[in-house]
Amino acid sequence: MKRQILLCLTGLVALTAGAQNIQLHYDFGRNIYTGEEAGRSKMTITLEQYKADKWGSWFYFVDLDLSRHFAESAYAEISREFKLGKQSPFAAHVEYDGGLSRSGSFQQAALVGAAYNGHTEDYAKTWSVQLLYKQYFKSYDDTRAYASAQLTGVWGMNFLNNKLRFAGFIDLWRGEKANGHGCLVILSEPQLWYNFTEHFSVGTEWEFSNNFVYNSDPESGKTFFWNPTVAVKWNF
């Protein structure tokens, strides 16, 4: 539920001018990693929207992490793509990432680069590859501004007469540890949905990450995490 989640429906412009959905996820991460992820929220609401126009497309999502008593955090990403020619698969990509939490804020970042988008003839399969320059900004006392780069892949596939959908993304970028040393961050969130109707779906998301999750027990030295969810989705 963090990330360019899952639409990048490149070919969708041929079918509709836009798409929007809301998801509710129950996260099992804190049950699997009782020490390292003791503070991980169990519930996340995700709102996302894709909208195409004659110049390209907009995409945004907002994640709200919930505890029993509070909205613990709100994280958002918004991106704009500009088509580089009517029939060209290439596009210019501009993006902003950031958010707030009860304990502070997420480190803000701006991204700019190029995207290669494609689809099958029937739009049952879509994909996008993005190569981006990423600039982090000093967002709170323990952070500093630094330059990075990000490689993103996004996919979507429909099966069984559109009853089953497999979609997701993978991000790789250069991050920085608390001591200032660089590290490779990997984040992937594949989702599998069964569409009971054109509006209502039930599914799961599996978050795989390395050097991404905040570790509540740093002495464990763990950097790789697998956080599965069970979820429902309403497509507007």
Side-chain angles (χ1 to χ4, degrees), residues 184-205:
L184 176 64
V185 183
I186 301 173
L187 176 66
S188 183
E189 294 182 1
Q191 292 186 345
L192 184 65
W193 297 99
Y194 183 81
N195 302 314
F196 284 92
T197 71
E198 63 177 324
H199 296 294
F200 180 70
S201 306
V202 175
T204 181
E205 175 182 274

Side-chain angles (χ1 to χ4, degrees), residues 4-233:
Q4 282 126 321
I5 295 185
L6 306 179
L7 270 181
C8 203
L9 299 176
T10 310
L12 193 61
V13 63
L15 303 178
T16 178
Q20 186 180 45
N21 71 76
I22 187 169
Q23 305 169 20
L24 177 63
H25 291 259
Y26 183 88
D27 193 302
F28 294 96
R30 64 185 294 168
N31 303 109
I32 298 173
Y33 307 103
T34 56
E36 294 90 346
E37 293 196 301
R40 187 178 179 89
S41 296
K42 288 187 175 182
M43 303 294 295
T44 298
I45 295 174
T46 297
L47 175 67
E48 61 183 11
Q49 184 174 26
Y50 170 92
K51 184 167 179 61
D53 53 45
K54 63 181 180 180
W55 296 288
S57 63
W58 285 99
F59 175 76
Y60 78 86
F61 80 87
V62 180
D63 278 350
L64 296 175
D65 289 331
L66 308 177
S67 68
R68 183 175 298 179
H69 303 292
F70 303 101
E72 296 288 340
S73 65
Y75 177 85
E77 296 186 5
I78 182 169
S79 64
R80 172 73 201 187
E81 288 196 352
F82 298 93
K83 293 185 292 186
L84 300 178
K86 288 185 177 181
Q87 303 301 323
S88 173
F90 293 97
H93 183 103
V94 181
E95 182 177 329
Y96 167 80
D97 304 345
L100 299 171
S101 70
R102 286 206 304 133
S103 58
S105 66
F106 294 92
Q107 189 168 9
Q108 299 180 90
L111 301 90
V112 61
Y116 178 87
N117 304 315
H119 57 82
T120 57
E121 186 175 353
D122 61 357
Y123 298 96
K125 298 179 177 65
T126 61
W127 59 85
S128 176
V129 179
Q130 303 157 16
L131 183 59
L132 307 169
Y133 169 80
K134 189 172 188 177
Q135 177 65 48
Y136 279 100
F137 303 101
K138 180 177 175 61
S139 301
Y140 47 92
D141 290 342
D142 295 331
T143 63
R144 72 178 189 89
Y146 67 94
S148 180
Q150 180 169 304
L151 178 64
T152 293
V154 188
W155 70 89
M157 293 180 280
N158 296 329
F159 304 95
L160 300 176
N161 294 321
N162 295 325
K163 281 294 186 181
L164 201 63
R165 178 165 177 79
F166 177 56
F169 72 89
I170 182 169
D171 288 339
L172 298 91
W173 74 91
R174 179 190 177 275
E176 282 197 356
K177 299 181 180 180
N179 59 11
H181 291 174
C183 62
L184 176 64
V185 183
I186 301 173
L187 176 66
S188 183
E189 294 182 1
Q191 292 186 345
L192 184 65
W193 297 99
Y194 183 81
N195 302 314
F196 284 92
T197 71
E198 63 177 324
H199 296 294
F200 180 70
S201 306
V202 175
T204 181
E205 175 182 274
W206 288 14
E207 178 189 275
F208 300 94
S209 67
N210 193 60
N211 289 319
F212 175 72
V213 168
Y214 173 76
N215 190 339
S216 300
D217 182 18
E219 292 186 1
S220 72
K222 187 172 183 59
T223 62
F224 176 83
F225 291 88
W226 165 62
N227 294 305
T229 77
V230 61
V232 293
K233 177 171 66 172

